[in-house]
Amino acid sequence: MKKAYHPQKIERKWQKEWERRGIFRTKDNSKKPKKYILVEFPYPSGAGLHLGHCRPYVALDILAIKKRMEGFNVLFPMGWDAFGLPTENYAIKTGIPPEKVTKRNTRIFKQQMKRIGLSFDWSREITTSDPSYYKWTQWIFLQLFKHGMAYKKRIPINWCPSCKIGLANEEVVNGRCERCGTKVVRKEKEQWMLRITKYAERLISDLDKVDFPERVKTLERDWIGKSEGHEVEFQLFGLEQSITVFTSRLDTIFGASFLVLSPEHPAFPTILQTGKIKNRKAVEAYIERAKNKLERERLEKTAEKTGVEIEGIKAVNPANNELMPVFVADYVLAHYGTGAIMGVPAHDERDFDFARQFNLPLKEVISNPSEKSHFGFYLSDGRYSKPYTGEGILIHSGRFDGLESPKARGRIFEFLKQKGKARKAVHYKLRDWVFSRQRYWGEPIPLIYCPKCGWVPVPEKDLPVKLPKIKNYKPTSTGESPLAKVKEWVETKCPKCGGPARRETDVMPNWAGSNWYYLRYCDPKNNKELASFKKLRYWMPVDWYNGGMEHTTLHLLYSRFIFKFLWDIGVVPKSIGPEPYKKRTSHGMVLGEGGIKMSKSKGNVINPNDVIDEFGADTLRVYEMFMGPFEQAIAWDTKGVRGVHRFLQKVWAICTQELSFVDASKKYATLRALEVLLHKTIKKVSDDIEQMKFNTAVSALMEFCNEWSRLQNNQAALAHTGQKKRGVLSKRDIGKFLKILLPFAPHMAEELWHLLGYRSSIFKSKWPRYNQLIIKEEKVNVVVQVNGKKRAILEMPRGSSQKEVEKAALQNPKVRKWVSKGNIKKKIFVADKILNIVIR
RNA sequence: GCCCGGGUGGCGGAAUGGCAGACGCGCAGGACUCAAAAUCCUGUCCUGGCAACAGGGUGUGGGUUCAACUCCCACCCCGGGCACCA
């Protein structure tokens, strides 16, 4: 009867069987409530699936399985984010077309995912590089273009000289190209931009509507960087021109002792031509130098500031009409605020550093309420130490003296507003999104340039604009896309006037396809629209979206933006609401043995295939869930894998043993103690899965099996029934156990389920419910403390009163001994938990 | 510098005011074996003790409480993000 555990055999068998029966196929029309469970789709790299991928996949698979058994219609899809540089670079090296490589890689990924027994609905598989998919990515771009959300702009971009590609700010890490590590240089280029800044406010405020981890929300908020303040106009003395600055500290305006313009400030050509400037050459030279500096270099030294005074002009402080010098300095950024600031050296670190460098006067106007004397920034030798940047009470600010910072801002604003010199303003750190890449392996931007008509969108009926087949994938040395070399593709007719015109040769960045893929899963085969309203209304929003923390300010933010845009223009039903994802969670990385990152160069990469070959997919799954808290990075430990494998072998052994009793005598009840534990375990596993506390869910399963095994072996436990040998768990209860094991180790659970005699798949069964009464009926351990120190543990019936517990406690010799050392002063009782006797 | 996490045995971790160290790994001893592996059993925070037991113990210092890994204040260390954003 006893069969040995052979994971390889049963796993293959069931994977085939599940596929044959179409068990994980999701139906669109169902009366059941829906759950859309989504895990970020991978970039199918040549290296194949790795252990880090498996963790979130298994976790969300567990959720999907449980939700199905709880009666939900679950959408749990998978696809491929296939456009991207590694595949293109591989094509450059080998000449193999990227689509061919992509096909091969996705085949490998898919086969690996199937080996893990993940319950994806493969009938909805999508590939972002597939023309039937990117047709709609291009279509979305056209909508952006038509609504003025996409525009072309000559901007200094981050240029990677090695990849020959423009990079988004997010792709530059420490001044180096994220992919190849080459130092990024500055280069001016015409680029397509998306106006994500238009959505800055809503991207922040709608975070209140979703269930994201607080750290994710904070990260997005900080990245968008909202700052509320005022714009103030400073007249240039004797000139028509005035300079507007942005400040969030209007309360410090009486302390402003100079004005600084960024080198790119638009007022410069005009100012320089007034003839008033005495050092025009020096100013021009400084501006020129700043232009060639990489932004990164400008930011490198924080304390040492450079700049040049624009001699011959002064600005008028609108608060007190004092004249102040004007500088150009590159510590002021052109793209933030108004590109100009008022320098308040006493209350701003950067202005302070600058003033020290240029020996500018410093005027304290905010007194620090927590310090008694002012001028905390003077050292004993009379030099400054540091500015006070906090809020406080105004001094040296005329009639605003004595006001607190927030109130002062309001009053000063009123005062300046009356003079027409100030207005409220909000600025964001977020910048528009550079959306072109001078590359091949991406979605062609569906626009045509006509010398007569300008940029003309490709008519929707002509979509998709397919990538032409080419031989040489290398970008041109001028940094143009390799597509620029394909004459017969580039040269076309203007859709508007029919005259000769040229196609845009830039392609979209690799984030384009993932902006909206979750919509496509709802209706993946639709060739009339990106997804039908009916299906979107049923499935959207995504109920649970898991992905990497590293995508928080990239993919997550981008896709929220694109969704909002589509929602605004009515491409998706209004009923979904303004956010695509209801709930977001993040997994921790899987590190190599010893806690270092797994990488090819370190040679510590572990292939999931090898783990499955040796231990089976169920072991891999259970171990990935057991290894540590889901959201935390954790090191792989082969010895730990063996431990989990041991556990599964044990489960197999106990279950098959128990099955022999089921056969022998059809009817017997579960031992009471085990029944109680079973129900507790069902509760624990159910709750823990919801909270993604998979590690403790597994340990609860282990504890149950330890007890089950102990009772099974315990002859005394069997003897009192009068029978020589009998089981300890009824058939029904074995089934319940298998159901809670199922999400973690589906193959084993299904096999044992069938050995138990069931014909239909365990996936079709209902998630077990625990019985509140059974859990509560057991006895509880009540701790008796004397002066807060544990002195005894009493086993009491649940719900025992204080009196009952006290009586039992005082009968206990140990408690008696300790209590007798003084007089009882106080007794604290928490039902079913503790009795603390305080003596003196 | 600022903003988030986090600090518990030899290791991964459990316990979110109520028995610190669940579960697993490792280690030690034992059983089986000619032997090894595998498997099974027992033990495993530190100190003293043959033991019962007593005392100490969750980064450091203080506080609140009958009771603190858990809450509050200050500090130290580690990880991540942002960083001249006015």
Side-chain angles (χ1 to χ4, degrees):
Chain A
M1 178 65 212
K2 237 179 169 180
K3 281 165 69 180
Y5 174 44
H6 288 302
Q8 281 73 14
K9 259 190 222 159
I10 62 170
E11 288 175 3
R12 278 283 143 83
K13 179 177 88 185
W14 286 113
Q15 282 159 15
K16 269 190 211 154
E17 188 60 19
W18 294 332
E19 196 162 346
R20 195 182 64 77
R21 296 196 201 174
I23 284 216
F24 307 130
R25 201 60 69 83
T26 303
K27 289 197 181 102
D28 285 319
N29 36 11
S30 164
K31 288 206 175 90
K32 292 181 191 171
K34 67 97 183 179
K35 275 285 175 219
Y36 188 173
I37 295 174
L38 186 62
V39 58
E40 284 177 355
F41 62 165
Y43 173 69
S45 72
L49 199 72
H50 59 78
L51 293 170
H53 286 116
C54 302
R55 203 177 181 197
Y57 298 163
V58 171
L60 278 276
D61 193 39
I62 287 170
L63 273 158
I65 291 170
K66 175 166 180 270
K67 293 291 168 201
R68 280 192 207 104
M69 290 169 76
E70 284 175 339
F72 289 96
N73 187 28
V74 172
L75 177 54
F76 185 49
M78 186 37 74
W80 318 105
D81 192 12
F83 278 129
L85 272 181
T87 307
E88 180 165 344
N89 288 336
Y90 186 77
I92 292 171
K93 240 195 280 170
T94 62
I96 304 172
E99 61 266 34
K100 213 170 172 180
V101 178
T102 299
K103 277 225 175 84
R104 192 187 67 197
N105 290 350
T106 54
R107 203 172 46 235
I108 293 167
F109 265 69
K110 189 171 171 180
Q111 181 242 330
Q112 284 185 295
M113 286 182 184
K114 286 188 172 174
R115 278 199 76 188
I116 299 167
L118 299 166
S119 68
F120 295 126
D121 177 1
W122 287 108
S123 71
R124 291 169 186 262
E125 179 181 359
I126 55 173
T127 305
T128 56
S129 62
D130 196 302
S132 68
Y133 180 90
Y134 72 65
K135 171 182 176 177
W136 298 106
T137 312
Q138 291 176 332
W139 184 85
I140 291 171
F141 184 88
L142 287 184
Q143 308 313 308
L144 287 159
F145 179 77
K146 286 173 187 167
H147 286 83
M149 293 293 292
Y151 62 99
K152 206 162 200 188
K153 192 184 171 191
R154 193 169 181 81
I155 50 154
I157 57 157
N158 307 301
W159 176 259
C160 173
S162 163
C163 300
K164 292 205 170 97
I165 191 169
L167 302 170
N169 288 322
E170 297 88 297
E171 291 167 314
V172 182
V173 178
N174 290 325
R176 289 170 184 279
C177 172
E178 184 193 49
R179 306 226 174 248
C180 69
T182 309
K183 224 174 177 184
V184 169
V185 299
R186 189 168 148 129
K187 188 168 180 171
E188 292 239 332
K189 266 237 156 235
E190 284 249 302
Q191 299 286 337
W192 285 102
M193 309 283 290
L194 294 188
R195 277 188 220 283
I196 189 172
T197 50
K198 230 181 148 181
Y199 282 77
E201 184 62 45
R202 285 165 64 193
L203 286 169
I204 288 181
S205 59
D206 286 349
L207 285 173
D208 296 339
K209 298 186 171 79
V210 291
D211 178 14
F212 290 9
E214 213 38 58
R215 60 189 174 136
V216 169
K217 289 189 181 184
T218 310
L219 226 54
E220 293 218 341
R221 274 194 208 104
D222 289 354
W223 184 261
I224 298 167
K226 183 180 181 176
S227 174
E228 285 174 277
H230 302 89
E231 282 176 9
V232 185
E233 222 176 278
F234 283 69
Q235 190 65 41
L236 294 183
F237 187 70
L239 290 177
E240 290 292 299
Q241 195 92 18
S242 67
I243 299 294
T244 303
V245 306
F246 173 66
T247 177
S248 60
R249 291 299 303 274
L250 192 58
D251 51 315
T252 64
I253 193 166
F254 284 85
S257 52
F258 55 93
L259 210 68
V260 191
L261 309 190
S262 71
E264 298 87 355
H265 198 281
F268 267 119
T270 329
I271 297 177
L272 289 170
Q273 266 152 39
T274 56
K276 284 217 172 189
I277 293 158
K278 292 177 184 154
N279 59 341
R280 183 170 165 172
K281 280 226 167 97
V283 173
E284 279 175 341
Y286 184 82
I287 292 173
E288 195 53 37
R289 224 179 318 134
K291 214 183 218 173
N292 295 324
K293 259 203 232 174
L294 194 63
E295 184 167 341
R296 182 73 209 173
E297 288 164 344
R298 277 171 66 167
L299 305 183
E300 253 163 25
K301 284 179 199 163
T302 49
E304 213 162 285
K305 305 248 180 305
T306 63
V308 174
E309 181 174 357
I310 307 169
E311 291 169 26
I313 60 166
K314 299 279 178 199
V316 184
N317 187 333
N320 55 13
N321 293 321
E322 277 175 21
L323 291 181
M324 44 206 263
V326 182
F327 288 81
V328 54
D330 64 9
Y331 84 90
V332 175
L333 306 170
H335 56 76
Y336 184 76
T338 60
I341 58 140
M342 61 180 197
V344 187
H347 304 293
D348 182 279
E349 306 232 5
R350 298 146 299 179
D351 298 347
F352 178 86
D353 291 336
F354 188 75
R356 186 152 60 172
Q357 207 96 24
F358 289 83
N359 256 316
L360 297 165
L362 179 144
K363 187 173 151 197
E364 193 185 27
V365 292
I366 306 289
S367 79
N368 181 349
S370 61
E371 266 178 40
K372 279 179 200 122
S373 69
H374 301 155
F375 306 106
F377 39 80
Y378 284 113
L379 292 171
S380 52
D381 64 354
R383 286 171 14 111
Y384 322 136
S385 65
K386 63 173 195 188
Y388 172 62
T389 57
E391 311 230 307
I393 310 230
L394 269 70
I395 51 171
H396 304 143
S397 298
R399 58 193 168 102
F400 303 101
D401 279 2
L403 292 177
E404 285 180 22
S405 292
K407 196 158 194 189
R409 281 196 285 272
R411 291 283 182 79
I412 294 173
F413 169 61
E414 289 301 322
F415 166 66
L416 292 175
K417 199 172 102 179
Q418 270 174 13
K419 303 210 294 181
K421 293 287 188 191
R423 60 186 162 273
K424 284 191 177 169
V426 180
H427 287 280
Y428 303 89
K429 286 196 242 181
L430 186 70
R431 290 200 247 171
D432 275 343
W433 181 9
V434 183
F435 206 66
S436 337
R437 298 297 126 99
Q438 291 71 46
R439 279 287 181 160
Y440 172 78
W441 191 229
E443 301 88 346
I445 289 176
L447 292 173
I448 292 168
Y449 186 77
C450 168
K452 266 197 241 160
C453 313
W455 285 108
V456 181
V458 170
E460 286 178 18
K461 66 174 171 50
D462 294 341
L463 293 181
V465 176
K466 281 196 192 167
L467 272 172
K469 291 207 161 40
I470 62 172
K471 289 240 164 67
N472 183 359
Y473 299 95
K474 221 172 170 145
T476 70
S477 51
T478 58
E480 275 191 290
S481 159
L483 291 174
K485 291 181 283 192
V486 191
K487 235 178 147 189
E488 58 286 6
W489 184 81
V490 174
E491 288 172 7
T492 183
K493 278 182 191 154
C494 171
K496 222 178 193 173
C497 69
R502 294 174 61 84
R503 284 185 194 282
E504 171 60 77
T505 59
D506 283 1
V507 299
M508 298 184 210
N510 58 323
W511 311 105
S514 59
N515 276 333
W516 67 283
Y517 76 116
Y518 52 89
L519 296 173
R520 189 64 177 172
Y521 282 136
C522 300
D523 193 6
K525 306 249 156 58
N526 195 329
N527 53 19
K528 292 200 180 68
E529 50 200 336
L530 63 85
S532 80
F533 258 48
K534 198 182 159 197
K535 289 179 180 175
L536 289 174
R537 210 177 280 131
Y538 178 68
W539 286 116
M540 285 295 290
V542 174
D543 291 284
W544 195 320
Y545 188 25
N546 187 84
M549 214 48 205
E550 70 278 12
H551 292 141
T552 303
T553 54
L554 297 164
H555 160 68
L556 190 67
L557 191 68
Y558 293 155
S559 58
R560 288 180 60 223
F561 155 55
I562 293 297
F563 179 82
K564 283 175 186 302
F565 168 73
L566 295 174
W567 189 73
D568 284 352
I569 65 168
V571 170
V572 298
K574 284 278 182 273
S575 62
I576 299 172
E579 285 286 331
Y581 317 119
K582 250 193 199 165
K583 180 187 174 104
R584 168 84 176 183
T585 53
S586 277
H587 54 266
M589 259 202 297
V590 175
L591 304 168
E593 219 135 356
I596 26 168
K597 214 169 167 175
M598 274 196 210
S599 73
K600 256 192 207 164
S601 58
K602 282 181 197 116
N604 61 347
V605 177
I606 297 167
N607 189 330
N609 283 346
D610 296 342
V611 180
I612 295 174
D613 287 342
E614 193 173 351
F615 301 105
D618 284 337
T619 297
L620 174 68
R621 291 174 66 113
V622 176
Y623 176 65
E624 289 240 9
M625 292 301 99
F626 182 62
M627 61 196 299
F630 180 64
E631 70 285 354
Q632 229 172 76
I634 205 128
W636 189 263
D637 175 20
T638 304
K639 296 211 176 104
V641 181
R642 208 158 277 142
V644 165
H645 189 62
R646 263 201 286 270
F647 163 63
L648 288 179
Q649 281 176 319
K650 187 173 179 172
V651 173
W652 181 268
I654 312 168
C655 279
T656 46
Q657 166 93 42
E658 198 70 43
L659 287 174
S660 66
F661 297 124
V662 172
D663 281 353
S665 60
K666 280 200 174 88
K667 262 193 177 173
Y668 64 84
T670 300
L671 283 191
R672 188 63 180 175
L674 199 55
E675 190 179 15
V676 171
L677 186 60
L678 176 65
H679 282 256
K680 275 177 136 177
T681 307
I682 291 169
K683 176 170 165 47
K684 173 90 178 140
V685 170
S686 305
D687 293 350
D688 280 358
I689 288 175
E690 290 302 319
Q691 294 171 64
M692 298 194 123
K693 287 161 77 175
F694 303 109
N695 52 333
T696 49
V698 173
S699 77
L701 290 170
M702 286 171 167
E703 278 176 86
F704 177 76
C705 290
N706 288 344
E707 187 62 11
W708 183 2
S709 157
R710 197 183 66 81
L711 291 174
Q712 213 174 46
N713 294 327
N714 192 337
Q715 289 304 312
L718 299 178
H720 82 272
T721 66
Q723 278 176 299
K724 270 250 164 80
K725 265 194 162 185
R726 50 157 271 179
V728 292
L729 210 56
S730 71
K731 180 176 169 179
R732 259 181 81 123
D733 284 344
I734 298 171
K736 280 183 185 168
F737 167 74
L738 292 178
K739 288 176 188 182
I740 56 173
L741 176 71
L742 174 69
F744 298 90
H747 309 89
M748 179 185 277
E750 181 80 294
E751 176 72 12
L752 290 169
W753 178 257
H754 280 76
L755 290 179
L756 198 54
Y758 293 101
R759 302 295 294 275
S760 73
S761 171
I762 187 170
F763 280 102
K764 296 289 178 194
S765 69
K766 277 200 180 121
W767 187 256
R769 292 170 59 167
Y770 58 89
N771 186 330
Q772 219 35 278
L773 293 174
I774 294 177
I775 291 177
K776 282 204 165 157
E777 234 173 89
E778 54 157 343
K779 296 197 166 182
V780 290
N781 286 337
V782 177
V783 174
V784 180
Q785 296 183 334
V786 178
N787 281 0
K789 276 203 182 297
K790 179 184 78 175
R791 293 303 175 189
I793 299 168
L794 306 175
E795 194 182 73
M796 303 289 295
R798 186 181 279 274
S800 298
S801 70
Q802 176 163 1
K803 260 192 187 159
E804 289 165 329
V805 175
E806 269 175 34
K807 197 176 155 198
L810 291 170
Q811 273 167 10
N812 183 295
K814 265 189 238 158
V815 176
R816 278 245 285 275
K817 182 182 126 198
W818 285 96
V819 168
S820 68
K821 289 182 180 177
N823 298 317
I824 295 177
K825 207 184 138 200
K826 205 173 171 184
K827 283 172 279 191
I828 287 107
F829 177 71
V830 180
D832 298 336
K833 284 212 165 133
I834 205 157
L835 172 71
N836 189 6
I837 302 169
V838 184
I839 61 161
R840 188 191 272 174

